[in-house]
Amino acid sequence: MKEHTKLKIFTGSTPNTTEKDLLLAKGILSGAVNTQGARESLKEYFRNTWEEDIFLFNRGREAIYFLLKNLGLKKDDEIILQAFTCIATVEPILWSKCKPVFVDIQKNSFNIDLEKLRSSITPRTRVVLIQHTFGEMVNMKKVREIVESFNNERDNEEKIFLIEDCAHLFSLTDDRIGKYSDAFFFSFAQDKAISSTQGAMLVVKNNNFFSSNLKQEYEELDELNQREATYNARYVLLWEKIKRFYYTLEIPLIRFSLGKLLILLFRFLGLIKKQAKVNIEKDCNIKKMSDIQAQLLLRQLEDWEVFNQHRQEIVTIYEDKLKEEYRTSYKKGDTLLRYPILSEKKNLIRKILREEKVIVGNWYSSPIYPLAWENLSSVGYVKGSCPNVETACKNILNLPTGIEVSKEQAEEITDILNSV
Ligand SMILES: Cc1ncc(COP(=O)(O)O)c(C=O)c1O
């Protein structure tokens, strides 16, 4: 195999950070940049696109929880969502004391199977949560038709609320987003399409479901304290250091390195946390997005079209050059956050790519990621209930599409994969 010396790719860890983001983060931490009022400016920015009620949160899961809390749900009300998802979508359901009902994905995509969605709706279903996995858009018009076929028969207090989970994509111009749902949200976590390392925006389009005044409920939410608020600016800088030293002084067999030592050290000092940490027991205190997060996001928004254009170009390389056996039946046209491939040789591929300094993603190697398979029952997932999900989990890897990977590198990755 030919030498691949240039690769150094971390699919998923702050893939969008540019020099401009690092400069801003330094400015925020040194006090040279005043972030006061940034959350309001961000809201105004989004108002140019969405005229409905806009709410900014610390995380996507808090946006979901905010909705569920205000929908007046009762214990054991059912909320339908697909398996092959992140624990972040399930936590708010459990915090609300509701019951997650997991539906299988289609055989030829990583999105919910609409016929199985239809047959999973029961008189107790109050919410349907639809996820555009990897950024591939679900046919929301069809979902709306399914939901309406039930809503037409129901009294107001029993109608189903439709939430669209746009965590894996971002666009200000794709008019499919939010067209058919009652509310939709984006996540701006460290591994998303644009990022403030943590953050989320929720747009509520249909207020008829809420007896409470959402704006007032939002105003009463807590702010992050000073230490929590600076976390995100520091995170940008710390991860830059971790990546820079990730392979420095690496001990070959155990693969320990200076970068890994930094991760352990920063975690020990509480400077970085595991983003997808599982928290199903403790309730969550919903927090507003901080001005620092908003400022970081305003910077990223300068480049959202550049990021998306780049992702499309990288996806095209994978589509055109990857061996047929890796291809999923993703349909061209969407901007993918990660490019999924399926292979029974997944572990071998991971190992080979790791030797070339490419760390590929593993969304979702468990039906409710990152929950271990033996713990799935703790969130109500029954093993064997979603066969397409389970097969996908066993064989999936995700290739990077973000600006961290150049076109040349995407071609190198393709060459490596094709030679396995
Ligand atoms: C599908 C999906 N929805 C929602 C979220 C919520 O993200 P967070 O709470 O980290 O902002 C995530 C996070 O990875 C996700 O993958």
Side-chain angles (χ1 to χ4, degrees):
M1 194 186 295
K2 72 180 180 201
E3 270 303 285
H4 300 282
T5 49
K6 286 178 263 140
L7 302 174
K8 201 172 166 193
I9 291 160
F10 304 84
T11 311
S13 300
T14 59
N16 309 325
T17 306
T18 66
E19 281 302 318
K20 290 184 243 169
D21 299 297
L22 294 173
L23 259 180
L24 173 62
K26 277 183 201 156
I28 291 172
L29 290 175
S30 71
V33 174
N34 180 0
T35 61
Q36 211 179 359
R39 186 173 61 223
E40 271 315 303
S41 309
L42 182 62
K43 209 184 261 184
E44 283 310 310
Y45 179 98
F46 285 136
R47 267 215 190 96
N48 292 328
T49 307
W50 292 287
E51 285 157 9
E52 297 91 351
D53 292 346
I54 292 175
F55 303 98
L56 298 168
F57 294 95
N58 179 40
R59 295 182 302 170
R61 64 201 82 186
E62 292 169 46
I64 303 175
Y65 191 31
F66 179 75
L67 283 175
L68 300 186
K69 264 193 143 170
N70 285 291
L71 277 169
L73 302 173
K74 291 190 283 303
K75 189 170 177 295
D76 293 333
D77 277 350
E78 291 174 0
I79 299 186
I80 296 185
L81 74 168
Q82 69 169 77
F84 200 79
T85 188
C86 175
I87 188 72
T89 60
V90 184
E91 281 173 345
I93 299 175
L94 300 175
W95 297 333
S96 309
K97 309 273 181 281
C98 292
K99 184 175 165 217
V101 175
F102 297 105
V103 173
D104 205 357
I105 54 174
Q106 298 162 35
K107 253 210 170 95
N108 60 356
S109 113
F110 300 97
N111 285 333
I112 194 163
D113 182 314
L114 295 186
E115 279 318 306
K116 290 181 186 161
L117 161 67
R118 187 195 298 277
S119 60
S120 303
I121 294 177
T122 75
R124 295 225 66 156
T125 307
R126 288 288 170 278
V127 176
V128 169
L129 176 61
I130 299 290
Q131 162 188 311
H132 302 299
T133 317
F134 300 122
E136 185 184 357
M137 299 278 292
V138 175
N139 182 343
M140 291 301 292
K141 186 165 187 267
K142 242 188 177 147
V143 176
R144 174 50 80 191
E145 281 165 12
I146 293 171
V147 168
E148 277 324 289
S149 69
F150 288 87
N151 278 353
N152 287 339
E153 311 285 311
R154 294 185 179 198
D155 295 337
N156 273 348
E157 62 277 12
E158 312 225 299
K159 286 195 195 299
I160 298 166
F161 189 80
L162 177 55
I163 307 176
E164 194 174 347
D165 176 343
C166 303
H168 291 183
L169 58 108
F170 182 79
S171 172
L172 292 174
T173 50
D174 189 334
D175 58 12
R176 291 174 298 175
I177 295 172
K179 191 166 177 188
Y180 296 101
S181 49
D182 294 309
F184 66 93
F185 69 93
F186 297 110
S187 162
F188 308 122
Q190 93 289 357
D191 44 15
K192 299 303 191 302
I194 55 167
S195 165
S196 44
T197 83
Q198 283 176 302
M201 180 193 68
L202 168 71
V203 178
V204 177
K205 301 185 62 208
N206 184 352
N207 270 304
N208 294 337
F209 280 74
F210 303 97
S211 51
S212 46
N213 180 330
L214 282 189
K215 282 189 183 157
Q216 198 177 327
E217 295 291 331
Y218 179 81
E219 283 318 315
E220 284 166 13
L221 294 177
D222 286 342
E223 303 274 347
L224 296 164
N225 65 35
Q226 188 54 25
R227 183 180 155 78
E228 287 168 329
T230 50
Y231 173 86
N232 300 103
R234 201 178 301 110
Y235 189 97
V236 175
L237 298 175
L238 295 181
W239 263 97
E240 209 277 319
K241 292 226 162 15
I242 291 169
K243 284 171 153 185
R244 180 143 30 107
F245 295 113
Y246 198 80
Y247 295 101
T248 307
L249 303 177
E250 186 172 54
I251 305 167
L253 270 181
I254 56 167
R255 292 245 160 92
F256 200 73
S257 65
L258 187 53
K260 286 197 179 160
L261 182 67
L262 287 178
I263 295 181
L264 292 180
L265 180 69
F266 295 156
R267 282 206 183 129
F268 177 74
L269 296 173
L271 298 175
I272 57 172
K273 303 180 273 217
K274 274 194 178 167
Q275 216 82 343
K277 213 169 151 206
V278 177
N279 167 24
I280 52 177
E281 275 92 34
K282 263 200 329 202
D283 194 355
C284 160
N285 187 7
I286 306 174
K287 304 236 169 103
K288 294 175 190 165
M289 179 185 276
S290 69
D291 281 334
I292 291 180
Q293 288 167 331
Q295 190 79 47
L296 292 170
L297 199 72
L298 282 164
R299 191 348 270 145
Q300 287 260 304
L301 282 164
E302 292 169 11
D303 286 337
W304 75 267
E305 284 165 298
V306 178
F307 294 159
N308 277 4
Q309 171 73 23
H310 184 85
R311 288 184 195 282
Q312 279 168 10
E313 285 167 6
I314 299 295
V315 166
T316 304
I317 292 173
Y318 295 142
E319 284 290 302
D320 290 345
K321 307 225 159 131
L322 267 183
K323 267 199 300 204
E324 196 61 35
E325 67 175 77
Y326 294 124
R327 302 263 206 80
T328 59
S329 16
Y330 152 69
K331 290 168 257 8
K332 285 188 188 182
D334 292 321
T335 307
L336 297 194
L337 180 63
R338 297 170 171 209
Y339 186 83
I341 61 167
L342 292 170
S343 173
E344 285 170 12
K345 290 181 274 184
K346 160 175 166 162
N347 291 336
L348 175 68
I349 291 171
R350 255 184 124 164
K351 191 162 159 270
I352 293 173
L353 284 171
R354 173 64 176 74
E355 273 155 21
E356 302 287 349
K357 298 190 170 49
V358 179
I359 297 176
V360 285
N362 58 357
W363 283 359
Y364 292 117
S365 53
S366 144
I368 319 292
Y369 183 85
L371 214 54
W373 285 70
E374 60 273 20
N375 295 335
L376 289 170
S377 61
S378 66
V379 296
Y381 179 84
V382 179
K383 249 188 251 174
S385 62
C386 298
N388 294 338
V389 165
E390 294 183 19
T391 308
C393 290
K394 285 180 187 137
N395 296 328
I396 194 149
L397 287 175
N398 340 128
L399 305 182
T401 63
I403 45 148
E404 67 169 349
V405 55
S406 67
K407 288 189 204 170
E408 192 192 11
Q409 287 173 321
E411 288 187 8
E412 282 186 42
I413 292 175
T414 313
D415 286 347
I416 298 171
L417 281 166
N418 286 348
S419 68
V420 175

